[in-house]
Amino acid sequence: MSYQILLCSEQLSSIGKHVQHFFKADCVASASELMSMAEAADYRAVVVDCASIQYSLMECGGACLALGKRLDLPVIFIAQQYSLQDKLEAYQKGCDDIIDPSTSNDEACARITKSIFHRIANEQLNHRLLQATETARTAMVDNSDLGANIQFLLAAHESDNLDQLGQQLFSTLERYGLKCSLQMRSSLGIKNMEPHGMSKELESQLLYQLKDTDRYIDFGVRTICNYDRVSLLIKNMPIDDPEKYGAIKDNTFYLLQGVNARIHSLEDRHTLVEERECLRKLSKDINAVMSSVKDRYQQVMSGIMDEVETATSMLQNRVPHLALTERDEVFIDGVVERLITSTHTVFNEGLKVDEIFMRLEVSLEASIQA
C-alpha cells in the first residue's frame, strides 16, 4: 500500500526523485504552496528535500515543521550537511527523521513508511492513552510514587528479555502520564523502544549520541536521562510545575537504576547459559574421546596376548627340531612360561584400568544429564 505524501523542494536530489516516484508524491517548491495543498487531500507525511540546497535545516524546513505540527503529520528531512545542534533543534520543533543522501533509495522509502506507521500507531493509541491518563491519575491518588516504583522493581525481576523489561518500564511511566522513548544497551545488543514496541530512528540516534554526556539533558519540554546502560527521552516534561518536574526526575532515576540492574542480570544469565552449553559440549567430547581410548586400549591388549600366544606356540613346535641340549630346552621353556605369566599379570592390571574407564564414562554421562 502506497501512502500519499507531500514533497517540498526547490531542487530535487536523486533520492528525492526516487521518493517522489515511489510514493507518487505531490511536489511543491515552497512552504506557501505546501500550506495551500496540505488540507486538500489526506496526506500522511511531509518530506522536505534540501540535500541540493545550501541552507540549514531550520532555514529550509522551519515552515514545514510548523505545518506538520498543526496538521499532526510527520515531517522528514533529506539533508546532507547538519550538526548535532541542528538535529536537536529540528527534533525539538517536531522533525520525525533526517535521511542522509548517502542512504539507499529503498532504505529511505522504508524509513519514510516507518514514520507513517509510527503516526498511525500513535493515532490508534490515542484512545488508550486517554484511558491510561485517567488510570494514572487514579493510581497517583491511590498509590504513592514509592509504591509504583516498588511494583516496577518487583515486576522487572520477572522480565526474561529486554522487550519485556521495556514494556514493564513503559507501563510504570504511563502512571506518571509520561511519553517516552527508551534505549537499553547490553552485550545482547541495543534495544530502542517506543510504547507501541517499535523504534524511531531519530530518537534512537539522539539517545545513542548523548548517552555519555550528562546525567540529565534538558531541551524545551524534553529531557534525556542517562544511567549506565539505559537512556530515557521524556517528551512532555511539566516545565510549568517545578515540583512535579523535580519529582519526575527523581522517580525516573530510581526506575532507570532498576532497569540497569536487570540488564546486568540478563547478561549474567545469558553468560551462564552459554557456559553451561560449552561445558555440556566439552563433557560430550571428553566422553567420546574416553570411549575411543578405551576401545583402542582393549585392542592393544588383545593384540599383545595374541602375539604372545603365537610366539609361544611357534617356539614349542620348533624347539624339538633344533637339536638343543636338555638344559637349553629347559631354559627356553622357562623363559616362555615366564613370558606367559608376566603377560597375564599385565593383562589383569589392564582389567582394572577398564573399570576406571567405565566409572569415568558413567560420571561423564551423569554430568551431561545433570
Side-chain angles (χ1 to χ4, degrees):
M1 179 178 179
S2 181
Y3 295 97
Q4 193 170 8
I5 69 170
L6 274 172
L7 181 60
C8 181
S9 178
E10 295 179 9
Q11 181 181 349
L12 285 175
S13 62
S14 60
I15 196 170
K17 294 176 182 178
H18 182 81
V19 168
Q20 181 186 23
H21 176 73
F22 181 86
F23 289 97
K24 298 180 181 178
D26 294 331
C27 187
V28 296
S30 65
S32 59
E33 294 178 62
L34 187 71
M35 293 179 186
S36 64
M37 294 185 61
E39 297 178 353
D42 184 22
Y43 294 105
R44 287 292 186 173
V46 177
V47 178
V48 183
D49 183 5
C50 53
S52 303
I53 305 172
Q54 299 300 320
Y55 295 113
S56 69
L57 292 179
M58 296 310 299
E59 289 175 343
C60 185
C64 298
L65 288 171
L67 177 66
K69 187 174 183 179
R70 181 164 62 87
L71 299 179
D72 194 29
L73 293 175
V75 179
I76 300 100
F77 282 93
I78 300 174
Q80 187 163 11
Q81 296 180 352
Y82 53 90
S83 63
L84 177 58
Q85 186 61 36
D86 292 332
K87 185 183 290 186
L88 286 171
E89 185 178 1
Y91 178 68
Q92 186 175 350
K93 293 295 178 64
C95 174
D96 201 79
D97 199 1
I98 301 173
I99 300 174
D100 192 276
S102 61
T103 305
S104 68
N105 292 335
D106 290 340
E107 182 182 351
C109 293
R111 284 170 63 173
I112 293 171
T113 303
K114 188 177 181 181
S115 293
I116 295 172
F117 284 167
H118 278 297
R119 191 54 52 99
I120 293 172
N122 286 332
E123 290 174 357
Q124 294 172 347
L125 284 172
N126 279 340
H127 180 65
R128 290 176 56 192
L129 182 59
L130 291 175
Q131 292 179 331
T133 302
E134 288 298 321
T135 303
R137 288 173 183 161
T138 303
M140 289 295 288
V141 173
D142 297 337
N143 301 286
S144 66
D145 292 346
L146 179 61
N149 294 347
I150 291 175
Q151 288 179 20
F152 166 75
L153 294 175
L154 292 174
H157 284 284
E158 301 297 326
S159 302
D160 294 326
N161 52 58
L162 296 182
D163 288 285
Q164 291 182 9
L165 182 60
Q167 289 301 332
Q168 289 286 358
L169 178 62
F170 281 124
S171 177
T172 302
L173 292 173
E174 281 185 359
R175 301 167 70 98
Y176 297 94
L178 299 178
K179 300 177 182 178
C180 303
S181 297
L182 175 65
Q183 183 178 90
M184 296 176 285
R185 301 172 292 273
S186 72
S187 60
L188 308 176
I190 297 177
K191 182 66 180 179
N192 295 292
M193 291 184 68
E194 299 291 316
H196 48 61
M198 296 186 290
S199 64
K200 296 189 72 174
E201 190 70 22
L202 185 55
E203 281 84 342
S204 302
Q205 292 178 13
L206 291 175
L207 287 171
Y208 190 81
Q209 290 177 342
L210 298 172
K211 64 182 174 65
D212 296 322
T213 54
D214 298 330
R215 177 61 55 84
Y216 295 104
I217 304 168
D218 300 307
F219 51 105
V221 297
R222 295 172 172 82
T223 295
I224 292 179
C225 309
N226 293 313
Y227 189 87
D228 193 12
R229 306 288 190 87
V230 192
S231 294
L232 182 72
L233 170 61
I234 304 174
K235 305 176 184 179
N236 60 334
M237 289 292 284
I239 56 178
D240 56 345
D241 187 347
E243 184 177 349
K244 186 176 181 181
Y245 188 94
I248 287 175
K249 280 193 172 181
D250 291 339
N251 284 294
T252 52
F253 176 78
Y254 296 123
L255 294 176
L256 295 187
Q257 278 187 311
V259 173
N260 188 69
R262 187 55 183 167
I263 289 174
H264 283 285
S265 297
L266 290 173
E267 286 181 328
D268 292 340
R269 187 174 70 176
H270 181 72
T271 301
L272 287 174
V273 170
E274 289 185 334
E275 290 177 352
R276 183 182 65 184
E277 291 301 320
C278 289
L279 288 173
R280 181 179 296 172
K281 184 178 183 303
L282 180 61
S283 297
K284 289 182 178 180
D285 292 342
I286 293 175
N287 193 26
V289 170
M290 295 305 297
S291 296
S292 176
V293 170
K294 176 186 175 182
D295 293 339
R296 186 59 182 161
Y297 175 78
Q298 291 176 344
Q299 291 175 7
V300 170
M301 293 297 294
S302 177
I304 291 173
M305 287 298 298
D306 290 341
E307 287 298 323
V308 169
E309 290 176 358
T310 301
T312 301
S313 176
M314 292 174 64
L315 283 173
Q316 289 176 343
N317 293 333
R318 186 63 179 171
V319 164
H321 305 285
L322 295 178
L324 298 175
T325 63
E326 183 178 352
R327 184 178 179 182
D328 291 334
E329 290 181 2
V330 171
F331 174 77
I332 291 175
D333 288 339
V335 170
V336 170
E337 190 68 24
R338 183 176 180 277
L339 176 61
I340 294 173
T341 303
S342 299
T343 303
H344 278 289
T345 301
V346 172
F347 190 80
N348 289 332
E349 290 296 326
L351 294 178
K352 297 179 181 179
V353 176
D354 285 343
E355 293 177 2
I356 295 174
F357 272 121
M358 185 177 299
R359 289 198 298 270
L360 182 58
E361 284 181 23
V362 171
S363 299
L364 287 171
E365 194 66 33
S367 176
I368 293 172
Q369 294 298 326

